[in-house]
Amino acid sequence: FPSHDTAREGGETLRAFKVQDAFPKPGKTQSNHLRVTLLEGKKRQIRRMFHSKHLSVIDLFRTRIGRFDLEKVAIEEGSFLEISEDDII
């Protein structure tokens, strides 16, 4: 997947702003973990894009919503954090 990749499914064009290796290592050219950046996500878009390239998605992890970066917040799995609209926009 190059950056700005597109896929067609059922007459709909699905676009990823960026697709890159999630854990780049020096000297290693391929990884089975990818980081996908969407500007606007549609229902099951990542799964549908990978399926169109004959690839399967096992797990998805959201790392950011707007400006709110989930990787910078210490929160345990299964718990929740109350945020405001200002945190995201």
Side-chain angles (χ1 to χ4, degrees), residues 20-26 28 30-35 71:
Q20 62 191 35
D21 191 344
F23 307 105
K25 294 181 182 173
K28 188 174 181 184
Q30 293 184 340
S31 171
N32 59 356
H33 292 86
L34 298 173
R35 181 177 294 264
E71 293 179 311

Side-chain angles (χ1 to χ4, degrees), residues 13 20 35 53 62-63 65-66 73:
T13 300
Q20 62 191 35
R35 181 177 294 264
K53 304 289 185 182
R62 180 183 297 270
T63 59
I65 303 168
V73 177

Side-chain angles (χ1 to χ4, degrees), residues 47-62:
R47 292 185 188 279
R48 292 166 47 203
M49 289 181 70
F50 278 69
H51 179 74
S52 75
K53 304 289 185 182
H54 308 288
L55 299 168
S56 60
V57 175
I58 297 168
D59 284 320
L60 287 174
F61 301 96
R62 180 183 297 270

